[in-house]
Amino acid sequence: MIALVDYGAGNLTSVRKALTALGADFVVPSAPEECHRARGVIVPGVGHFGATANLDDPWRQAIGSAAASGTPLFGICVGMQWLFEGSDEAPAVAGLGAIAGRIARLAGDADQRLKVPHVGWNSLEFRGAARLLRGLNSGAQVYFTHSYAAPVTTECVAATTHANTFSSVVERDNIFGVQFHPEKSGDAGLAILRNFLEVCA
Amino acid sequence: MLTKRIIACMDVRDGQVVKGVQFQQLRHAGDPAALARRYNVEGIDEVVVLDITATLESRQALARTIHAVAQEIFLPLTVGGGIRSEDDAAAAIDAGADKVSLNTAALRQPDLITTLARRYGSQAVICAIDAKRRDGGFAVYVRSGTTDAARDAVAWAREAESRGAGEILLTSMDRDGTKAGFDCEMTAAVSDAVDIPVIASGGAGSVDHFADVFTRGHADAALAASIFHYAESSVSELKRHLQAHGIPVRL
């Protein structure tokens, strides 16, 4: 059973639909303790980093201790950003801190018409082997919609460039994160979600 | 590199896809879920469902249509047409929409943009602007193009952005359904005035029109309906053509 954490950051309909299509056994936990029994935890999210403030201490401790005991943890979009220490978008809200580094706003480039928010399909440039990216090739295109992004750290297994180069996929041991929306990224996105489910199996 | 998006729009009435010319003369174009399935196979980047009746009775039919289309695609799905309240938007999103498109309601009650952006994030809120050329500017119309809103499209796009809209869907009423090409000047004027993406709509008739609106029109995405519905040009052919012209697309 996979725990799909709903902390009120946008809607979960697309993620639910994709997990259902992949035949995943998942629940949306109503209490933090349920994360301990899960074979994997997904923290989705769209919108503002400030919404992760709803992941208060009980949730943070439950997710953090599940991850510390080896349960695969997958952050999507704002959920991936939450794996880091914090974000300039909501400086008062702390991230989980599973990955060192801070989320910062994309700069864009007016001369090259590179707008922020970064909305649309962009490519993943692979930076080493990753379980999350099994079966995909470097250059695979996925759907992004965000204004803030993670730095390129040692956990970065794929990077994407939109004026800045940022971490679009992170992976370290049982910690996984993607800045884009696999649930809206066609076959490539479904393959990534399936890879996570296989890690949890 | 961020690619230029190709978006298929389905105008839906009573659960069926229809298409008009300059907002009139509707003709039938098929089942929404079946069309969505075909577009997905051909490589469409996004799908928009516009409810063009937007009567109370059509609401439940729309929810069924959204659900049926959402089951076919794992791509961004936008729903618009007659979304007048937070409840209307929530119903569309609960049925499977990732984004809602506001038009008349955004002008009547601009706070709705902000309310929805706070609840769902700006990425979920598209401000749709129907405009036509007038006196050297671009005049905004509402109520399916029947009512002069007494606003300029560039100024309104700026305001919508500042209120929290995540994208602008800009339709040229002069070009809608004519297949005479997008209004590149209007698209560029709006796109250059805002930081959020601008989706150009109205007038797609050939693959060259798309190349034009991505270059001269500074569009971030282009939307079309009939050119795809009647298979006059497949999405995959269009994308190969754009790539050959040096325009980045998802293939």
Side-chain angles (χ1 to χ4, degrees):
Chain A
M1 184 267 289
I2 306 290
L4 175 63
V5 180
D6 182 3
Y7 55 99
N11 86 94
L12 298 187
T13 313
S14 295
V15 181
R16 283 171 178 271
K17 186 183 71 172
L19 291 175
T20 302
L22 293 170
D25 173 23
F26 70 97
V27 295
V28 176
S30 49
E33 307 78 64
E34 293 176 50
C35 294
H36 292 298
R37 295 196 297 273
R39 299 186 69 96
V41 177
I42 299 177
V43 181
V46 289
H48 199 277
F49 190 85
T52 64
N54 293 336
L55 291 166
D56 54 11
D57 281 343
W59 283 102
R60 171 188 302 275
Q61 281 166 19
I63 297 169
S65 69
S69 69
T71 303
L73 171 61
F74 188 22
I76 296 174
C77 193
V78 171
M80 163 183 164
Q81 297 179 359
W82 182 71
L83 300 176
F84 286 75
E85 292 168 301
S87 171
D88 293 348
E89 187 174 25
V93 179
L96 183 65
I99 298 176
R102 198 170 172 77
I103 307 303
R105 191 173 165 86
L106 292 168
D109 185 332
D111 294 341
Q112 293 186 67
R113 300 189 191 288
L114 297 174
K115 294 177 174 179
V116 177
H118 173 225
V119 180
W121 298 77
N122 204 333
S123 53
L124 303 176
E125 305 304 331
F126 289 11
R127 300 200 165 202
R131 284 173 288 169
L132 213 49
L133 300 172
R134 241 178 239 158
L136 296 170
N137 296 317
S138 189
Q141 287 175 323
V142 290
Y143 183 80
F144 291 86
T145 176
H146 63 123
S147 296
Y148 289 77
V152 175
T153 60
T154 54
E155 290 84 358
C156 176
V157 290
T160 297
T161 300
H162 183 69
N164 309 75
T165 296
F166 60 88
S167 285
S168 41
V169 185
V170 291
E171 179 174 324
R172 191 195 66 223
D173 305 325
N174 60 320
I175 307 291
F176 304 85
V178 295
Q179 176 58 63
F180 53 90
H181 288 279
E183 74 279 14
K184 296 174 205 171
S185 293
D187 292 341
L190 291 178
I192 288 165
L193 283 169
R194 192 182 296 114
N195 284 339
F196 177 71
L197 295 176
E198 281 172 8
V199 167
C200 300
Chain B
M1 182 190 283
L2 184 63
T3 59
K4 299 293 187 181
R5 287 174 284 155
I6 304 297
I7 302 175
C9 180
M10 301 194 272
D11 292 347
V12 172
R13 188 175 67 176
D14 303 327
Q16 288 291 305
V17 180
V18 294
K19 185 57 200 165
V21 175
Q22 286 167 319
F23 287 45
Q24 287 169 19
Q25 301 167 2
L26 301 175
R27 59 170 172 154
H28 282 270
D31 171 60
L35 268 178
R37 193 180 314 136
R38 192 183 96 210
Y39 294 151
N40 186 41
V41 170
E42 290 179 0
I44 201 74
D45 294 318
E46 284 188 52
V47 172
V48 173
V49 170
L50 281 184
D51 176 19
I52 61 163
T53 42
T55 58
L56 211 54
E57 310 85 73
S58 72
R59 282 297 175 210
Q60 291 182 329
L62 178 67
R64 285 195 297 274
T65 300
I66 297 168
H67 184 77
V69 170
Q71 294 309 307
E72 296 293 339
I73 56 168
F74 294 93
L75 304 172
L77 172 62
T78 299
V79 172
I83 291 181
R84 301 180 183 92
S85 67
E86 190 175 353
D87 285 349
D88 290 341
I93 285 171
D94 290 345
D98 298 300
K99 316 180 192 184
V100 292
S101 173
L102 305 173
N103 191 328
T104 306
L107 270 159
R108 276 206 189 138
Q109 24 162 351
D111 286 351
L112 185 58
I113 298 174
T114 313
T115 302
L116 293 176
R118 288 212 178 111
R119 178 161 170 186
Y120 295 108
S122 284
Q123 86 295 330
V125 186
I126 295 182
C127 182
I129 301 177
D130 297 336
K132 58 170 122 177
R133 290 178 178 239
R134 196 177 65 205
D135 307 329
F138 309 104
V140 178
Y141 280 71
V142 289
R143 299 184 62 84
S144 302
T146 59
T147 307
D148 185 346
R151 290 296 302 265
D152 174 73
V154 172
W156 172 227
R158 278 207 185 105
E159 181 181 338
E161 176 182 32
S162 72
R163 288 181 179 272
E167 295 180 71
I168 301 289
L169 167 54
L170 179 66
T171 300
S172 164
M173 297 175 60
D174 299 315
R175 302 295 176 89
D176 180 66
T178 64
K179 302 191 178 173
F182 296 95
D183 188 335
C184 290
E185 289 73 26
M186 180 170 85
T187 308
V190 173
S191 188
D192 292 351
V194 294
D195 285 326
I196 53 179
V198 172
I199 304 162
S201 159
S206 74
V207 289
D208 288 329
H209 293 154
F210 286 87
D212 275 351
V213 83
F214 287 133
T215 50
R216 285 198 302 127
H218 303 170
D220 299 286
L223 174 145
S226 41
I227 189 174
F228 299 140
H229 296 339
Y230 304 110
E232 290 160 19
S233 171
S234 79
V235 177
S236 48
E237 281 167 37
L238 167 62
K239 286 186 162 186
R240 282 194 297 273
H241 178 87
L242 292 172
Q243 190 185 45
H245 283 69
I247 295 166
V249 289
R250 176 177 74 111
L251 284 172

